[in-house]
Amino acid sequence: QVQLVESGGASVQAGGSLVLTCAASGYLGSFDSMGWFFHGSGKDQKGVAALVDGADSPYYDHSVKGRFTTARDCAKNTMYLQMSSLKPEDSGVYVCAASVRRVGYPLKREEYNFFGQGIQVTVSS
């Protein structure tokens, strides 16, 4: 059974940094696509960062580009989200997602097969 477990969420001051980790288990291979989705207060989930095998570079939502960086350790089936220059509007639940295929729209939730439970990030002003 595939499991995605996020860790690293915390409460920080605006301008601070965090690193979120997504550890995948239960899948013998390496996921071809992995992404991070953000669910803010009263808002739908939106994709903020993703990696797709074979793509030239990661995908980022405009709201986090230049502040967030994502990377993978395929050997460990782990994905990271380095978050810096955090803003209060970054507060919410961050969910890790994975797909066994190379998705065509990496920031669209419908592209992914598996999701973690999510982890809370709170940024205070």
Side-chain angles (χ1 to χ4, degrees):
Q1 181 179 356
V2 173
Q3 279 192 314
L4 302 177
V5 179
E6 302 93 343
S7 61
S11 295
V12 297
Q13 296 280 330
S17 299
L18 279 177
V19 178
L20 302 184
T21 300
C22 172
S25 63
Y27 182 60
L28 293 180
S30 176
F31 292 107
D32 281 355
S33 305
M34 293 187 77
W36 289 96
F37 288 79
F38 167 68
H39 189 177
S41 174
K43 300 176 183 176
D44 294 331
Q45 280 194 11
K46 71 170 182 179
V48 293
L51 288 166
V52 178
D53 281 359
D56 291 335
S57 58
Y59 298 85
Y60 296 102
D61 182 74
H62 65 89
S63 63
V64 306
K65 202 165 188 178
R67 300 187 299 120
F68 292 9
T69 303
T70 190
R72 287 182 66 180
D73 182 338
C74 293
K76 297 180 180 179
N77 241 349
T78 300
M79 186 174 185
Y80 307 94
L81 184 67
Q82 168 76 50
M83 312 163 73
S84 59
S85 302
L86 283 162
K87 305 174 182 180
E89 52 263 42
D90 295 322
S91 297
V93 176
Y94 287 79
V95 178
C96 175
S99 173
V100 298
R101 64 181 185 89
R102 296 182 183 185
V103 302
Y105 297 92
L107 298 183
K108 284 190 175 290
R109 192 178 191 280
E110 309 86 77
E111 294 280 90
Y112 294 86
N113 310 105
F114 306 103
F115 298 88
Q117 291 295 312
I119 194 155
Q120 178 71 38
V121 171
T122 303
V123 184
S124 56
S125 56

